[in-house]
mmCIF file of all heavy atoms in Angstrom:
data_model
loop_
_atom_site.group_PDB
_atom_site.id
_atom_site.type_symbol
_atom_site.label_atom_id
_atom_site.label_comp_id
_atom_site.label_asym_id
_atom_site.label_seq_id
_atom_site.Cartn_x
_atom_site.Cartn_y
_atom_site.Cartn_z
ATOM 1 N N ALA Y 1241 58.477 16.490 38.339
ATOM 2 C CA ALA Y 1241 57.102 16.875 38.664
ATOM 3 C C ALA Y 1241 56.323 15.721 39.284
ATOM 4 O O ALA Y 1241 55.533 15.921 40.223
ATOM 5 C CB ALA Y 1241 56.386 17.384 37.413
ATOM 6 N N ASP Y 1242 56.537 14.504 38.782
ATOM 7 C CA ASP Y 1242 55.820 13.349 39.333
ATOM 8 C C ASP Y 1242 56.217 13.089 40.777
ATOM 9 O O ASP Y 1242 55.384 12.686 41.600
ATOM 10 C CB ASP Y 1242 56.093 12.094 38.497
ATOM 11 C CG ASP Y 1242 55.376 12.123 37.155
ATOM 12 O OD1 ASP Y 1242 54.486 12.979 36.981
ATOM 13 O OD2 ASP Y 1242 55.705 11.283 36.289
ATOM 14 N N ARG Y 1243 57.471 13.343 41.078
ATOM 15 C CA ARG Y 1243 57.936 13.149 42.442
ATOM 16 C C ARG Y 1243 57.336 14.212 43.369
ATOM 17 O O ARG Y 1243 56.978 13.921 44.506
ATOM 18 C CB ARG Y 1243 59.468 13.198 42.489
ATOM 19 C CG ARG Y 1243 60.068 12.579 43.736
ATOM 20 C CD ARG Y 1243 61.571 12.551 43.655
ATOM 21 N NE ARG Y 1243 62.153 11.989 44.861
ATOM 22 C CZ ARG Y 1243 63.426 12.105 45.205
ATOM 23 N NH1 ARG Y 1243 64.258 12.768 44.393
ATOM 24 N NH2 ARG Y 1243 63.871 11.587 46.324
ATOM 25 N N VAL Y 1244 57.243 15.430 42.861
ATOM 26 C CA VAL Y 1244 56.593 16.500 43.635
ATOM 27 C C VAL Y 1244 55.158 16.105 43.957
ATOM 28 O O VAL Y 1244 54.696 16.233 45.102
ATOM 29 C CB VAL Y 1244 56.616 17.827 42.843
ATOM 30 C CG1 VAL Y 1244 55.711 18.866 43.518
ATOM 31 C CG2 VAL Y 1244 58.037 18.353 42.731
ATOM 32 N N LYS Y 1245 54.448 15.613 42.959
ATOM 33 C CA LYS Y 1245 53.061 15.211 43.165
ATOM 34 C C LYS Y 1245 52.952 14.063 44.169
ATOM 35 O O LYS Y 1245 52.012 14.024 44.977
ATOM 36 C CB LYS Y 1245 52.435 14.800 41.835
ATOM 37 C CG LYS Y 1245 52.217 15.959 40.872
ATOM 38 C CD LYS Y 1245 51.568 15.482 39.582
ATOM 39 C CE LYS Y 1245 51.342 16.658 38.625
ATOM 40 N NZ LYS Y 1245 50.728 16.217 37.350
ATOM 41 N N GLY Y 1246 53.904 13.152 44.128
ATOM 42 C CA GLY Y 1246 53.890 12.035 45.065
ATOM 43 C C GLY Y 1246 54.094 12.483 46.496
ATOM 44 O O GLY Y 1246 53.400 12.019 47.412
ATOM 45 N N ILE Y 1247 55.040 13.394 46.701
ATOM 46 C CA ILE Y 1247 55.282 13.917 48.046
ATOM 47 C C ILE Y 1247 54.060 14.683 48.536
ATOM 48 O O ILE Y 1247 53.639 14.548 49.688
ATOM 49 C CB ILE Y 1247 56.526 14.833 48.056
ATOM 50 C CG1 ILE Y 1247 57.773 14.018 47.709
ATOM 51 C CG2 ILE Y 1247 56.694 15.506 49.417
ATOM 52 C CD1 ILE Y 1247 59.007 14.870 47.459
ATOM 53 N N ALA Y 1248 53.479 15.492 47.656
ATOM 54 C CA ALA Y 1248 52.291 16.263 48.029
ATOM 55 C C ALA Y 1248 51.129 15.339 48.394
ATOM 56 O O ALA Y 1248 50.394 15.595 49.358
ATOM 57 C CB ALA Y 1248 51.888 17.192 46.889
ATOM 58 N N ALA Y 1249 50.970 14.247 47.642
ATOM 59 C CA ALA Y 1249 49.893 13.303 47.923
ATOM 60 C C ALA Y 1249 50.111 12.624 49.272
ATOM 61 O O ALA Y 1249 49.164 12.449 50.063
ATOM 62 C CB ALA Y 1249 49.810 12.260 46.809
ATOM 63 N N ASP Y 1250 51.355 12.234 49.564
ATOM 64 C CA ASP Y 1250 51.659 11.623 50.860
ATOM 65 C C ASP Y 1250 51.412 12.615 51.990
ATOM 66 O O ASP Y 1250 50.858 12.264 53.043
ATOM 67 C CB ASP Y 1250 53.116 11.157 50.895
ATOM 68 C CG ASP Y 1250 53.364 9.933 50.026
ATOM 69 O OD1 ASP Y 1250 52.387 9.216 49.717
ATOM 70 O OD2 ASP Y 1250 54.526 9.700 49.644
ATOM 71 N N PHE Y 1251 51.842 13.845 51.782
ATOM 72 C CA PHE Y 1251 51.618 14.885 52.790
ATOM 73 C C PHE Y 1251 50.129 15.033 53.075
ATOM 74 O O PHE Y 1251 49.703 15.058 54.242
ATOM 75 C CB PHE Y 1251 52.198 16.219 52.306
ATOM 76 C CG PHE Y 1251 51.705 17.403 53.091
ATOM 77 C CD1 PHE Y 1251 52.302 17.746 54.286
ATOM 78 C CD2 PHE Y 1251 50.626 18.155 52.632
ATOM 79 C CE1 PHE Y 1251 51.825 18.824 55.025
ATOM 80 C CE2 PHE Y 1251 50.152 19.234 53.351
ATOM 81 C CZ PHE Y 1251 50.753 19.566 54.563
ATOM 82 N N GLN Y 1252 49.322 15.153 52.018
ATOM 83 C CA GLN Y 1252 47.891 15.350 52.195
ATOM 84 C C GLN Y 1252 47.260 14.176 52.938
ATOM 85 O O GLN Y 1252 46.394 14.363 53.805
ATOM 86 C CB GLN Y 1252 47.208 15.540 50.834
ATOM 87 C CG GLN Y 1252 47.619 16.793 50.085
ATOM 88 C CD GLN Y 1252 47.074 18.069 50.713
ATOM 89 O OE1 GLN Y 1252 46.404 18.034 51.742
ATOM 90 N NE2 GLN Y 1252 47.360 19.205 50.103
ATOM 91 N N GLN Y 1253 47.681 12.980 52.612
ATOM 92 C CA GLN Y 1253 47.117 11.796 53.259
ATOM 93 C C GLN Y 1253 47.412 11.814 54.755
ATOM 94 O O GLN Y 1253 46.529 11.535 55.585
ATOM 95 C CB GLN Y 1253 47.680 10.529 52.619
ATOM 96 C CG GLN Y 1253 47.106 9.248 53.203
ATOM 97 C CD GLN Y 1253 47.651 8.007 52.512
ATOM 98 O OE1 GLN Y 1253 48.689 8.043 51.878
ATOM 99 N NE2 GLN Y 1253 46.931 6.910 52.630
ATOM 100 N N ILE Y 1254 48.643 12.139 55.109
ATOM 101 C CA ILE Y 1254 49.038 12.165 56.521
ATOM 102 C C ILE Y 1254 48.347 13.321 57.245
ATOM 103 O O ILE Y 1254 47.820 13.160 58.357
ATOM 104 C CB ILE Y 1254 50.570 12.306 56.646
ATOM 105 C CG1 ILE Y 1254 51.257 11.085 56.026
ATOM 106 C CG2 ILE Y 1254 50.990 12.465 58.110
ATOM 107 C CD1 ILE Y 1254 52.744 11.288 55.768
ATOM 108 N N TYR Y 1255 48.332 14.487 56.595
ATOM 109 C CA TYR Y 1255 47.753 15.662 57.244
ATOM 110 C C TYR Y 1255 46.255 15.485 57.474
ATOM 111 O O TYR Y 1255 45.729 15.838 58.538
ATOM 112 C CB TYR Y 1255 48.003 16.902 56.377
ATOM 113 C CG TYR Y 1255 47.583 18.185 57.065
ATOM 114 C CD1 TYR Y 1255 48.380 18.762 58.052
ATOM 115 C CD2 TYR Y 1255 46.387 18.811 56.730
ATOM 116 C CE1 TYR Y 1255 47.995 19.923 58.691
ATOM 117 C CE2 TYR Y 1255 45.994 19.979 57.369
ATOM 118 C CZ TYR Y 1255 46.803 20.521 58.347
ATOM 119 O OH TYR Y 1255 46.410 21.674 58.989
ATOM 120 N N ARG Y 1256 45.569 14.939 56.493
ATOM 121 C CA ARG Y 1256 44.120 14.774 56.611
ATOM 122 C C ARG Y 1256 43.745 13.680 57.604
ATOM 123 O O ARG Y 1256 42.651 13.715 58.170
ATOM 124 C CB ARG Y 1256 43.524 14.494 55.237
ATOM 125 C CG ARG Y 1256 43.598 15.700 54.309
ATOM 126 C CD ARG Y 1256 43.234 15.357 52.880
ATOM 127 N NE ARG Y 1256 43.298 16.547 52.021
ATOM 128 C CZ ARG Y 1256 43.128 16.538 50.727
ATOM 129 N NH1 ARG Y 1256 42.873 15.390 50.095
ATOM 130 N NH2 ARG Y 1256 43.210 17.663 50.021
ATOM 131 N N ALA Y 1257 44.645 12.717 57.809
ATOM 132 C CA ALA Y 1257 44.364 11.644 58.765
ATOM 133 C C ALA Y 1257 44.661 12.067 60.201
ATOM 134 O O ALA Y 1257 43.926 11.719 61.126
ATOM 135 C CB ALA Y 1257 45.188 10.402 58.408
ATOM 136 N N LYS Y 1258 45.718 12.843 60.388
ATOM 137 C CA LYS Y 1258 46.148 13.150 61.749
ATOM 138 C C LYS Y 1258 46.688 14.565 61.925
ATOM 139 O O LYS Y 1258 46.448 15.205 62.947
ATOM 140 C CB LYS Y 1258 47.228 12.150 62.187
ATOM 141 C CG LYS Y 1258 47.728 12.332 63.606
ATOM 142 C CD LYS Y 1258 48.751 11.265 63.983
ATOM 143 C CE LYS Y 1258 49.239 11.473 65.420
ATOM 144 N NZ LYS Y 1258 50.235 10.439 65.799
ATOM 145 N N GLY Y 1259 47.426 15.051 60.926
ATOM 146 C CA GLY Y 1259 48.157 16.300 61.093
ATOM 147 C C GLY Y 1259 47.295 17.487 61.456
ATOM 148 O O GLY Y 1259 47.679 18.326 62.279
ATOM 149 N N TYR Y 1260 46.102 17.583 60.838
ATOM 150 C CA TYR Y 1260 45.263 18.764 61.073
ATOM 151 C C TYR Y 1260 44.852 18.888 62.538
ATOM 152 O O TYR Y 1260 44.594 19.993 63.038
ATOM 153 C CB TYR Y 1260 44.033 18.740 60.167
ATOM 154 C CG TYR Y 1260 42.921 17.817 60.620
ATOM 155 C CD1 TYR Y 1260 41.847 18.314 61.345
ATOM 156 C CD2 TYR Y 1260 42.963 16.461 60.322
ATOM 157 C CE1 TYR Y 1260 40.833 17.470 61.759
ATOM 158 C CE2 TYR Y 1260 41.954 15.620 60.734
ATOM 159 C CZ TYR Y 1260 40.883 16.113 61.444
ATOM 160 O OH TYR Y 1260 39.888 15.281 61.857
ATOM 161 N N GLU Y 1261 44.788 17.752 63.242
ATOM 162 C CA GLU Y 1261 44.391 17.767 64.650
ATOM 163 C C GLU Y 1261 45.478 18.350 65.551
ATOM 164 O O GLU Y 1261 45.213 18.670 66.715
ATOM 165 C CB GLU Y 1261 44.052 16.352 65.117
ATOM 166 C CG GLU Y 1261 42.863 15.728 64.396
ATOM 167 C CD GLU Y 1261 42.583 14.318 64.860
ATOM 168 O OE1 GLU Y 1261 43.464 13.738 65.544
ATOM 169 O OE2 GLU Y 1261 41.495 13.799 64.562
ATOM 170 N N MET Y 1262 46.697 18.481 65.045
ATOM 171 C CA MET Y 1262 47.812 18.967 65.857
ATOM 172 C C MET Y 1262 47.866 20.493 65.946
ATOM 173 O O MET Y 1262 48.668 21.045 66.691
ATOM 174 C CB MET Y 1262 49.137 18.454 65.279
ATOM 175 C CG MET Y 1262 49.271 16.960 65.310
ATOM 176 S SD MET Y 1262 50.856 16.426 64.603
ATOM 177 C CE MET Y 1262 50.746 14.659 64.841
ATOM 178 N N GLY Y 1263 47.018 21.155 65.170
ATOM 179 C CA GLY Y 1263 46.994 22.607 65.220
ATOM 180 C C GLY Y 1263 46.300 23.105 66.470
ATOM 181 O O GLY Y 1263 45.810 22.338 67.311
ATOM 182 N N GLN Y 1264 46.234 24.422 66.592
ATOM 183 C CA GLN Y 1264 45.497 25.030 67.686
ATOM 184 C C GLN Y 1264 44.969 26.393 67.254
ATOM 185 O O GLN Y 1264 45.574 27.067 66.414
ATOM 186 C CB GLN Y 1264 46.378 25.172 68.925
ATOM 187 C CG GLN Y 1264 47.626 26.006 68.725
ATOM 188 C CD GLN Y 1264 48.494 26.051 69.967
ATOM 189 O OE1 GLN Y 1264 48.090 25.620 71.039
ATOM 190 N NE2 GLN Y 1264 49.693 26.579 69.829
ATOM 191 N N LEU Y 1265 43.840 26.761 67.802
ATOM 192 C CA LEU Y 1265 43.289 28.070 67.507
ATOM 193 C C LEU Y 1265 44.191 29.156 68.070
ATOM 194 O O LEU Y 1265 44.781 28.991 69.148
ATOM 195 C CB LEU Y 1265 41.900 28.214 68.128
ATOM 196 C CG LEU Y 1265 40.768 27.380 67.523
ATOM 197 C CD1 LEU Y 1265 39.512 27.546 68.364
ATOM 198 C CD2 LEU Y 1265 40.496 27.790 66.087
ATOM 199 N N TYR Y 1266 44.295 30.258 67.351
ATOM 200 C CA TYR Y 1266 44.979 31.407 67.924
ATOM 201 C C TYR Y 1266 44.155 31.951 69.084
ATOM 202 O O TYR Y 1266 42.932 31.729 69.152
ATOM 203 C CB TYR Y 1266 45.198 32.480 66.852
ATOM 204 C CG TYR Y 1266 46.312 32.145 65.900
ATOM 205 C CD1 TYR Y 1266 46.037 31.750 64.596
ATOM 206 C CD2 TYR Y 1266 47.642 32.201 66.306
ATOM 207 C CE1 TYR Y 1266 47.061 31.415 63.710
ATOM 208 C CE2 TYR Y 1266 48.674 31.866 65.428
ATOM 209 C CZ TYR Y 1266 48.376 31.475 64.143
ATOM 210 O OH TYR Y 1266 49.394 31.136 63.285
ATOM 211 N N PRO Y 1267 44.779 32.651 70.019
ATOM 212 C CA PRO Y 1267 44.080 33.100 71.231
ATOM 213 C C PRO Y 1267 42.807 33.887 70.949
ATOM 214 O O PRO Y 1267 42.790 34.774 70.091
ATOM 215 C CB PRO Y 1267 45.130 33.984 71.925
ATOM 216 C CG PRO Y 1267 46.442 33.432 71.470
ATOM 217 C CD PRO Y 1267 46.210 33.009 70.044
ATOM 218 N N GLN Y 1268 41.744 33.483 71.648
ATOM 219 C CA GLN Y 1268 40.461 34.190 71.674
ATOM 220 C C GLN Y 1268 39.716 34.195 70.333
ATOM 221 O O GLN Y 1268 38.769 34.967 70.153
ATOM 222 C CB GLN Y 1268 40.655 35.632 72.168
ATOM 223 C CG GLN Y 1268 41.201 35.695 73.589
ATOM 224 C CD GLN Y 1268 41.412 37.098 74.085
ATOM 225 O OE1 GLN Y 1268 42.282 37.791 73.585
ATOM 226 N NE2 GLN Y 1268 40.630 37.517 75.065
ATOM 227 N N ILE Y 1269 40.086 33.313 69.417
ATOM 228 C CA ILE Y 1269 39.408 33.266 68.121
ATOM 229 C C ILE Y 1269 37.894 33.045 68.262
ATOM 230 O O ILE Y 1269 37.097 33.761 67.635
ATOM 231 C CB ILE Y 1269 40.042 32.211 67.193
ATOM 232 C CG1 ILE Y 1269 41.362 32.727 66.613
ATOM 233 C CG2 ILE Y 1269 39.094 31.820 66.056
ATOM 234 C CD1 ILE Y 1269 41.228 33.900 65.657
ATOM 235 N N PRO Y 1270 37.418 32.068 69.057
ATOM 236 C CA PRO Y 1270 35.952 31.914 69.162
ATOM 237 C C PRO Y 1270 35.257 33.168 69.677
ATOM 238 O O PRO Y 1270 34.188 33.546 69.165
ATOM 239 C CB PRO Y 1270 35.798 30.746 70.152
ATOM 240 C CG PRO Y 1270 37.069 29.961 70.001
ATOM 241 C CD PRO Y 1270 38.131 31.001 69.795
ATOM 242 N N ASP Y 1271 35.844 33.830 70.666
ATOM 243 C CA ASP Y 1271 35.245 35.060 71.194
ATOM 244 C C ASP Y 1271 35.231 36.164 70.139
ATOM 245 O O ASP Y 1271 34.256 36.924 70.025
ATOM 246 C CB ASP Y 1271 36.020 35.540 72.429
ATOM 247 C CG ASP Y 1271 35.885 34.597 73.609
ATOM 248 O OD1 ASP Y 1271 34.902 33.835 73.651
ATOM 249 O OD2 ASP Y 1271 36.765 34.613 74.482
ATOM 250 N N VAL Y 1272 36.312 36.261 69.370
ATOM 251 C CA VAL Y 1272 36.401 37.277 68.319
ATOM 252 C C VAL Y 1272 35.340 37.025 67.244
ATOM 253 O O VAL Y 1272 34.619 37.946 66.829
ATOM 254 C CB VAL Y 1272 37.814 37.289 67.693
ATOM 255 C CG1 VAL Y 1272 37.834 38.111 66.405
ATOM 256 C CG2 VAL Y 1272 38.831 37.843 68.687
ATOM 257 N N LEU Y 1273 35.212 35.795 66.787
ATOM 258 C CA LEU Y 1273 34.235 35.464 65.749
ATOM 259 C C LEU Y 1273 32.812 35.694 66.246
ATOM 260 O O LEU Y 1273 31.959 36.212 65.515
ATOM 261 C CB LEU Y 1273 34.420 34.021 65.299
ATOM 262 C CG LEU Y 1273 35.755 33.679 64.633
ATOM 263 C CD1 LEU Y 1273 35.815 32.185 64.312
ATOM 264 C CD2 LEU Y 1273 35.980 34.507 63.375
ATOM 265 N N SER Y 1274 32.557 35.309 67.482
ATOM 266 C CA SER Y 1274 31.235 35.495 68.062
ATOM 267 C C SER Y 1274 30.861 36.975 68.108
ATOM 268 O O SER Y 1274 29.730 37.362 67.760
ATOM 269 C CB SER Y 1274 31.185 34.898 69.469
ATOM 270 O OG SER Y 1274 29.921 35.083 70.060
ATOM 271 N N ALA Y 1275 31.800 37.814 68.517
ATOM 272 C CA ALA Y 1275 31.541 39.251 68.583
ATOM 273 C C ALA Y 1275 31.338 39.848 67.190
ATOM 274 O O ALA Y 1275 30.450 40.685 66.982
ATOM 275 C CB ALA Y 1275 32.688 39.955 69.304
ATOM 276 N N LEU Y 1276 32.136 39.404 66.228
ATOM 277 C CA LEU Y 1276 32.037 39.948 64.869
ATOM 278 C C LEU Y 1276 30.698 39.632 64.217
ATOM 279 O O LEU Y 1276 30.195 40.404 63.399
ATOM 280 C CB LEU Y 1276 33.172 39.412 64.002
ATOM 281 C CG LEU Y 1276 34.561 39.997 64.241
ATOM 282 C CD1 LEU Y 1276 35.593 39.276 63.380
ATOM 283 C CD2 LEU Y 1276 34.584 41.498 63.937
ATOM 284 N N GLN Y 1277 30.118 38.498 64.575
ATOM 285 C CA GLN Y 1277 28.860 38.088 63.946
ATOM 286 C C GLN Y 1277 27.735 39.104 64.132
ATOM 287 O O GLN Y 1277 26.794 39.125 63.350
ATOM 288 C CB GLN Y 1277 28.404 36.743 64.517
ATOM 289 C CG GLN Y 1277 29.046 35.543 63.863
ATOM 290 C CD GLN Y 1277 28.395 34.263 64.318
ATOM 291 O OE1 GLN Y 1277 28.118 34.061 65.493
ATOM 292 N NE2 GLN Y 1277 28.124 33.376 63.374
ATOM 293 N N SER Y 1278 27.840 39.934 65.152
ATOM 294 C CA SER Y 1278 26.784 40.916 65.395
ATOM 295 C C SER Y 1278 26.783 42.026 64.351
ATOM 296 O O SER Y 1278 25.790 42.744 64.204
ATOM 297 C CB SER Y 1278 26.947 41.536 66.789
ATOM 298 O OG SER Y 1278 28.137 42.328 66.860
ATOM 299 N N LYS Y 1279 27.889 42.160 63.608
ATOM 300 C CA LYS Y 1279 28.009 43.268 62.660
ATOM 301 C C LYS Y 1279 28.467 42.836 61.272
ATOM 302 O O LYS Y 1279 28.271 43.560 60.295
ATOM 303 C CB LYS Y 1279 28.987 44.299 63.222
ATOM 304 C CG LYS Y 1279 29.001 45.631 62.489
ATOM 305 C CD LYS Y 1279 29.780 46.698 63.241
ATOM 306 C CE LYS Y 1279 29.725 48.028 62.517
ATOM 307 N NZ LYS Y 1279 30.419 49.095 63.268
ATOM 308 N N TRP Y 1280 29.075 41.654 61.167
ATOM 309 C CA TRP Y 1280 29.677 41.205 59.916
ATOM 310 C C TRP Y 1280 29.191 39.801 59.557
ATOM 311 O O TRP Y 1280 28.993 38.962 60.438
ATOM 312 C CB TRP Y 1280 31.206 41.167 60.035
ATOM 313 C CG TRP Y 1280 31.832 42.512 60.247
ATOM 314 C CD1 TRP Y 1280 31.873 43.232 61.416
ATOM 315 C CD2 TRP Y 1280 32.499 43.303 59.261
ATOM 316 N NE1 TRP Y 1280 32.530 44.418 61.218
ATOM 317 C CE2 TRP Y 1280 32.928 44.494 59.901
ATOM 318 C CE3 TRP Y 1280 32.787 43.120 57.914
ATOM 319 C CZ2 TRP Y 1280 33.625 45.487 59.236
ATOM 320 C CZ3 TRP Y 1280 33.489 44.110 57.241
ATOM 321 C CH2 TRP Y 1280 33.890 45.286 57.895
ATOM 322 N N GLU Y 1281 29.035 39.552 58.255
ATOM 323 C CA GLU Y 1281 28.872 38.184 57.773
ATOM 324 C C GLU Y 1281 30.263 37.622 57.534
ATOM 325 O O GLU Y 1281 31.087 38.260 56.861
ATOM 326 C CB GLU Y 1281 28.061 38.147 56.473
ATOM 327 C CG GLU Y 1281 26.587 38.343 56.679
ATOM 328 C CD GLU Y 1281 25.787 38.066 55.413
ATOM 329 O OE1 GLU Y 1281 26.390 37.794 54.360
ATOM 330 O OE2 GLU Y 1281 24.549 38.136 55.494
#
């Protein structure tokens, strides 16, 4: 369990520093959210 926690901690550190920036929005997400705001919270 301690080793699992260590790997998870290393993963989080790397992901929060750089990894999250490597993602990308799915197609047309901003347009979809903008349109939904007129009817949904």
